[in-house]
Amino acid sequence: NTLATGSDAVLAIVIANGASIDDGLSLAGDDIHVSGLSILDFVDDAIQVDGERAVVEGSFLGVGPDGTTAGGNDYGVLVSSTGTGVRIGSDGDGTGDAGERNVISGNRVGLLVQGSGGSVRGNTIGTDASGTAALGNEVGAVLNTSASSIVSNVVSGNTGRAIVIDGDDNAVTDNMVGTDPTGLVAIGNGNDGVRVEPSERTSIVGNVIVQSGSDGIDLDNATDTIIEGNTIGAGIDGATLGAMHRVGIRVEEGSTVRIGTDADGTDDAAEANLIPNSRFDALRVDEAGTSATILGNRIFGNDELATDLKSPVENGNDVTANDADDADDGPSGLQNYPVITAASLTPAGADVA
């Protein structure tokens, strides 16, 4: 592959037409390296990995060698619980990274990692080889594991969720979700951009997430989650594209969630999320969500509320009324919203009270 984005790789080996065969390749041993294959039309998996430290790179999984023809498998890559330390895509060392990129598209599930310590980096998941046209999986990438990462991928054009996290100590970092590789052209996903299911200590950092059919980020029973430095509802430039999702960040259920800066004075500006253009709220914490800290984010242009703490008695997306001494309880304590009573200009700046 000679392209900085997408892939023009010429693949000479095609494993296909397995309509009655379960898997294209089954990697049972340790330290197996797979590269340069097009694998399509198998009943179960293009590649199943059961051994440790396997590498899958530079291949088209669910896509023909022309890079545009879908031939879906059930899973593009399935890494079982015994497949620990598996790398799918680039090693990120700056040497040959483009050639290590996989195209994983046209499958029911692009990839599922169940073994711990896995790395999914630099792949194109849900588009053709160019990264500019949808060739979707039903679901893009699932980490059902621990201590794994999904980094610097293009995860776009999938008909369902783009990324699903279900496990502890995982990281979702610097991905383009719902765009082409430039981050400036929309190729939306059909459901959530990132969904976190029962998990602890997930970090979601530095991603561009647009054009999600449901929510940009949806936390469902997530604890100790960090969401910082993301652009949710605009392109990488912070201006182009539109959100098209319902809610930018939704905490359905979870506790100790930080959305935005930690306010420690170090890199606080970079930790802020940019959240414009949602069809409903920019941020929503449902009744089962507790202890959400929301600091330092830039929020504008959303059709409904900037931050909605859902009261048990709230009707729709109405503003929850303030109460005396903020004594009520609910998501984030149903913290009272500020009431501005006066504003004036002084030589030193603006005074707001």
Side-chain angles (χ1 to χ4, degrees):
N1 178 29
T2 63
L3 302 179
T5 61
S7 178
D8 63 357
V10 178
L11 304 184
I13 301 175
V14 179
I15 304 174
N17 300 319
S20 61
I21 301 173
D22 289 345
D23 302 325
L25 287 178
S26 180
L27 310 183
D30 297 339
D31 302 299
I32 297 175
H33 191 142
V34 174
S35 180
L37 304 179
S38 171
I39 307 178
L40 59 163
D41 292 324
F42 284 88
V43 174
D44 290 335
D45 317 319
I47 299 177
Q48 178 169 327
V49 182
D50 297 310
E52 298 181 0
R53 299 176 301 278
V55 174
V56 178
E57 65 179 26
S59 295
F60 292 0
L61 306 175
V63 183
D66 62 359
T68 61
T69 302
N73 310 280
D74 197 33
Y75 292 84
V77 184
L78 189 153
V79 180
S80 73
S81 60
T82 60
T84 59
V86 171
R87 168 163 63 88
I88 302 171
S90 169
D91 56 13
D93 66 356
T95 302
D97 290 345
E100 295 162 353
R101 179 181 303 128
N102 297 293
V103 179
I104 308 174
S105 301
N107 306 286
R108 187 180 68 84
V109 177
L111 62 93
L112 169 63
V113 178
Q114 296 175 312
S116 64
S119 171
V120 179
R121 179 186 286 267
N123 304 285
T124 299
I125 304 171
T127 75
D128 66 1
S130 72
T132 61
L135 197 67
N137 306 286
E138 291 183 26
V139 177
V142 180
L143 299 186
N144 181 206
T145 183
S146 62
S148 295
S149 61
I150 179 163
V151 179
S152 300
N153 301 276
V154 174
V155 191
S156 303
N158 300 286
T159 60
R161 293 185 173 113
I163 298 172
V164 179
I165 304 298
D166 184 357
D168 300 338
D169 301 299
N170 294 303
V172 181
T173 309
D174 295 338
N175 300 282
M176 298 292 176
V177 181
T179 79
D180 75 345
T182 70
L184 297 172
V185 178
I187 309 175
N189 295 289
N191 205 302
D192 301 321
V194 179
R195 179 175 172 86
V196 182
E197 297 181 342
S199 301
E200 296 184 1
R201 298 175 298 278
T202 302
S203 65
I204 304 171
V205 179
N207 304 281
V208 174
I209 304 172
V210 297
Q211 301 280 338
S212 302
S214 188
D215 301 325
I217 297 174
D218 184 9
L219 306 185
D220 185 4
N221 196 8
T223 302
D224 294 326
T225 304
I226 294 173
I227 302 174
E228 66 178 33
N230 302 283
T231 298
I232 306 168
I236 196 170
D237 60 356
T240 57
L241 310 182
M244 294 297 290
H245 49 244
R246 299 182 307 178
V247 176
I249 300 174
R250 182 179 183 185
V251 183
E252 289 191 63
E253 182 177 356
S255 61
T256 320
V257 175
R258 170 163 64 84
I259 301 172
T261 177
D262 57 12
D264 66 354
T266 302
D267 296 325
D268 288 343
E271 293 165 352
N273 297 289
L274 175 66
I275 315 172
N277 305 324
S278 301
R279 288 189 288 122
F280 299 135
D281 306 320
L283 295 162
R284 179 184 296 173
V285 183
D286 290 339
E287 187 178 347
T290 60
S291 305
T293 301
I294 302 168
L295 290 175
N297 302 287
R298 292 174 290 163
I299 302 170
F300 59 89
N302 299 282
D303 287 354
E304 295 186 358
L305 300 179
T307 302
D308 188 2
L309 305 180
K310 300 290 285 186
S311 164
V313 297
E314 183 178 327
N315 180 20
N317 293 319
D318 295 340
V319 176
T320 303
N322 285 345
D323 61 303
D325 300 321
D326 204 6
D328 55 4
D329 197 14
S332 294
L334 288 180
Q335 180 178 344
N336 284 349
Y337 59 83
V339 177
I340 298 173
T341 57
S344 62
L345 292 174
T346 70
D351 285 341
V352 179

